[in-house]
DNA sequence: CGGGATCCTACTCGATACTG
DNA sequence: CAGTATCGAGTAGGATCCCG
């Protein structure tokens, strides 16, 4: 590596940082949001973090989710290898869902995000209320 | 608090956990996704983590974002108190954006998520390819 | 019970053109 | 430069009905 490459530019944000987020984090964040950035994915993953649940149990634990969206989101998560789907051939049928090892690795960052939300959402709502009061 | 409340139920997931995610984390995750779960918010926040940027700089650093979406998302973030907007009364006008202290607290969990994405997206894409190959 | 199929609505987002 | 305004396509997501 030439020594010129080691010199840190004094201006931190003027012209060299076009690759700052785009190649690595930028694409990663976008891909991530494309997969678990929807309305129910993180909720399902968080709900499954304590163990296996069957379809109707999941639906009960996540109020407001429709059968359709639960089915769709679970299918996407299974397709991405984050959730495993096990069908027990019985009558009535029983289908159980649980996190895969890969899915389990998402728990920590997801809970970090949830913790942030719990801690800072009051401030956000206050800021929003103040903003709306000021702007009419 | 009565002593019966301290007894941990032995079955981890059968009947008592209706409040497991819904009251705290569940609502938090939903509110969070409502605010920064869109296409550009996390990208903007990550881009601003290194310092102040003006509108056109932000647009250059986030390829693919339209003027409209950049304006809209910045307005939402400003409304929520995550981003501050400073107008310098000059000609041509200069408007600078930076993270507020509250916004800065989001950097760590957001980067944790981005790091997860960088680490696990290849596995996800592989799982998806395998799933699609098996299912046609 | 665990979905699949269908219809329908609302909203997101992008493209384009215009403004101060 | 930093927006605003308007239009239109695409899609996420809810409601409903049906099936194995």
């Amino acid at each position: 590596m030439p020594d010129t490459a080691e010199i840190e530019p004094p201006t931190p944000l003027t012209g060299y940082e076009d690759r700052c987020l785009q190649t690595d984090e930028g694409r990663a964040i976008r891909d991530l949001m494309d997969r678990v950035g929807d309305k129910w994915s993180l909720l399902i993953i968080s709900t499954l973090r304590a163990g296996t649940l069957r379809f109707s149990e999941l639906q009960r634990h996540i109020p407001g989710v429709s059968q359709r969206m639960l089915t769709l989101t679970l299918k996407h998560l299974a397709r991405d290898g984050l959730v495993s789907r096990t069908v027990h051939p019985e009558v009535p049928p029983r289908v159980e869902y649980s996190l895969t090892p890969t899915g389990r690795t998402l728990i920590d960052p997801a809970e970090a995000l949830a913790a942030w939300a719990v801690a800072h959402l009051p401030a956000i709502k206050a800021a929003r209320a103040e903003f709306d009061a000021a702007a009419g």
Side-chain angles (χ1 to χ4, degrees), chain A residues 5-130:
Chain A
E6 304 170 1
I7 301 177
E8 290 258 323
T11 53
L13 271 179
T14 357
Y16 72 94
E17 69 284 2
D18 278 81
R19 315 161 321 174
C20 144
L21 273 186
Q22 299 164 13
T23 343
D24 270 10
E25 270 189 47
R27 291 188 65 90
I29 289 181
R30 287 220 232 180
D31 287 346
L32 180 72
M33 296 310 277
D34 281 349
R35 283 152 214 280
V36 297
D38 58 273
K39 197 171 179 180
W40 304 109
S41 288
L42 275 186
L43 236 38
I44 291 176
I45 289 174
S46 296
T47 305
L48 284 177
R49 79 195 188 289
T52 299
L53 285 178
R54 52 194 296 183
F55 187 86
S56 52
E57 291 173 328
L58 266 173
Q59 191 168 13
R60 267 196 303 275
H61 286 49
I62 306 178
V65 70
S66 60
Q67 327 82 323
R68 174 185 141 86
M69 288 319 295
L70 187 54
T71 304
L72 268 179
T73 311
L74 282 170
K75 195 185 298 180
H76 290 151
L77 292 174
R79 186 161 108 118
D80 290 343
L82 299 176
V83 158
S84 74
R85 179 179 185 272
T86 308
V87 184
H88 296 79
E90 312 168 355
V91 276
R94 188 171 91 242
V95 183
E96 294 186 323
Y97 294 91
S98 59
L99 292 180
T100 64
T102 301
R104 238 171 268 128
T105 64
L106 188 51
I107 291 181
D108 276 359
E111 295 214 328
L113 219 60
W116 182 93
V118 171
H120 292 94
L121 275 176
I124 289 183
K125 291 183 179 175
R128 178 173 287 225
E130 186 179 0

